[in-house]
Amino acid sequence: MTGKNSIIHTEKFKKFVEIELNKEKNKMYDLDANIRDLYPIEMHFENKQEKDINYFKELDRIILLKSKKINRRVIKKRIIYKKNKTKSILAFVITKFNGVKMFTFNIIEEIDAENKFKSISKKNRQLLEKCIKIQNDNDFEYVRNIIDKYLDKVLE
């Protein structure tokens, strides 16, 4: 393994080791931190409308200030909020055209007086079962007013 012709002396192997070390660096994070970004959050802002980005940023701020039990995790397709770093409780997708999709559990029905949250079909569902698309200021205000109650229920 250590001779001149060994695989460890090839450029391909050196790149492989570098990639693996970077993966480990991404896994390591401060246990007291409430944000774990596997991808840069700015990736979700590329080619999106400014008002949708602002809607998301305001909701993000509200959620992260609610409790130290809530953690944000940025993955490739969505932004997920977890309870105690394990159970997904909320997710967001900033759409390319118009809006921000927010995904929740079914318990949102107890708080959703106007029935704005729609059920997600079982084949498209992952962990969260309800969805609302925030497209304008009215939708944003509605979500902002009920998100605190939703988080209280989830964090019980």
Side-chain angles (χ1 to χ4, degrees):
M1 286 295 274
T2 58
K4 264 198 293 187
N5 295 329
S6 174
I7 190 169
I8 64 170
H9 295 296
T10 64
E11 194 62 36
K12 185 177 177 182
F13 184 77
K14 288 177 184 174
K15 286 183 181 179
F16 168 77
V17 170
E18 186 177 327
I19 289 169
E20 291 301 309
L21 288 173
N22 284 335
K23 283 182 186 176
E24 283 303 311
K25 285 180 191 173
N26 286 338
K27 286 182 184 177
M28 301 298 287
Y29 61 97
D30 183 10
L31 293 174
D32 294 331
N34 64 347
I35 298 172
R36 181 177 179 198
D37 291 339
L38 299 179
Y39 291 87
I41 198 163
E42 291 76 23
M43 175 184 91
H44 290 279
F45 301 158
E46 293 172 2
N47 303 320
K48 306 300 190 318
Q49 293 185 12
E50 190 65 33
K51 72 173 177 120
D52 295 335
I53 295 169
N54 291 334
Y55 289 155
F56 167 76
K57 284 181 177 180
E58 178 62 20
L59 292 172
D60 177 65
R61 186 187 65 74
I62 292 168
I63 294 164
L64 291 176
L65 289 174
K66 178 68 178 170
S67 171
K68 292 199 181 289
K69 292 181 181 179
I70 299 175
N71 312 93
R72 183 181 75 199
R73 186 167 182 201
V74 179
I75 61 174
K76 191 171 187 177
K77 293 188 178 186
R78 60 188 63 185
I79 302 158
I80 300 173
Y81 295 85
K82 293 181 171 273
K83 176 182 173 183
N84 297 325
K85 298 181 184 171
T86 57
K87 184 179 180 182
S88 296
I89 57 172
L90 265 174
F92 286 93
V93 174
I94 304 171
T95 62
K96 283 187 180 179
F97 301 107
N98 185 24
V100 177
K101 288 185 179 180
M102 183 174 115
F103 300 89
T104 66
F105 285 120
N106 274 339
I107 61 170
I108 197 73
E109 291 174 344
E110 299 170 21
I111 305 162
D112 182 21
E114 296 180 26
N115 292 325
K116 290 190 174 194
F117 284 80
K118 305 298 178 206
S119 293
I120 303 169
S121 66
K122 285 188 178 183
K123 68 177 183 176
N124 292 327
R125 185 183 307 167
Q126 290 182 357
L127 295 173
L128 303 169
E129 301 134 341
K130 293 287 191 173
C131 176
I132 187 170
K133 190 170 186 181
I134 303 164
Q135 295 179 304
N136 54 46
D137 291 339
N138 292 336
D139 293 341
F140 174 72
E141 285 301 318
Y142 182 74
V143 168
R144 195 170 86 184
N145 289 332
I146 67 169
I147 199 160
D148 202 39
K149 294 174 193 164
Y150 172 75
L151 292 173
D152 285 340
K153 284 198 163 292
V154 170
L155 294 172
E156 287 178 346

